[in-house]
């Protein structure tokens, strides 16, 4: 059952977009790097983790444990995927932004 649509915060939108870009390989550090790469800002890993779990609680993401890796000391990664509800929320956010951008009057040259 889908949760009520309360809109997305800007950081939530960036995290959802990063999870989409990573196509099922999104976990804390990879999402952090993807958001930093595209936004040009430094973010805390803890903020990413909190946001990933909040988005999961909202029904916008699902997660499952991935395989172990020696690089991580045989620890598993929690991999996140966007849900259909999450994808609809992203498209709704995109539509709002596009409509608002189209309403900006053209700049008039100053005399």
């Amino acid at each position: 059952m889908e949760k009520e649509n309360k809109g997305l915060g800007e950081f939530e939108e960036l995290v959802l977009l990063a999870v989409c870009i990573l196509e099922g390989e999104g976990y804390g550090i990879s999402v952090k790097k993807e958001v930093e790469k595209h936004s040009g800002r430094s973010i805390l890993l803890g903020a990413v983790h909190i946001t990933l779990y909040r988005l999961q609680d909202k029904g916008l993401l699902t997660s499952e444990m991935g395989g172990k890796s020696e690089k991580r000391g045989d620890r598993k990664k929690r991999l996140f995927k966007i849900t259909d509800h999450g994808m609809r929320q992203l498209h709704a956010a995109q539509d709002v932004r596009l409509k608002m951008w189209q309403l900006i009057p053209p700049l008039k040259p100053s005399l």
Side-chain angles (χ1 to χ4, degrees):
M1 182 173 191
E2 291 183 7
K3 310 247 175 157
E4 181 182 345
N5 177 4
K6 293 184 177 178
L8 292 173
E10 191 247 357
F11 191 67
E12 289 178 330
E13 186 178 346
L14 291 175
V15 169
L16 274 179
L17 288 167
V19 170
C20 287
I21 290 167
L22 294 167
E23 295 184 292
E25 296 297 320
Y27 61 98
I29 292 175
S30 67
V31 170
K32 176 185 182 301
K33 288 179 180 177
E34 198 68 29
V35 171
E36 288 178 336
K37 176 180 163 184
H38 297 287
S39 71
R41 58 180 152 162
S42 179
I43 57 174
L44 296 173
L45 181 58
V48 172
H49 280 133
I50 289 168
T51 304
L52 286 167
Y53 288 109
R54 184 173 58 243
L55 293 169
Q56 185 170 316
D57 288 345
K58 290 180 172 182
L60 306 178
L61 293 176
T62 61
S63 69
E64 61 184 33
M65 296 306 291
K68 296 178 183 177
S69 74
E70 284 184 32
K71 188 176 178 182
R72 294 176 44 87
D74 282 337
R75 292 181 301 152
K76 295 179 178 181
K77 299 176 191 170
R78 179 164 293 282
L79 301 172
F80 290 86
K81 291 182 182 176
I82 194 162
T83 64
D84 290 343
H85 179 48
M87 189 57 82
R88 284 193 297 277
Q89 287 283 306
L90 269 182
H91 282 290
Q94 181 187 37
D95 288 346
V96 167
R97 290 177 190 266
L98 287 174
K99 286 176 186 170
M100 291 182 74
W101 273 101
Q102 292 169 349
L103 295 173
I104 296 174
L107 292 175
K108 296 178 182 171
S110 58
L111 299 175

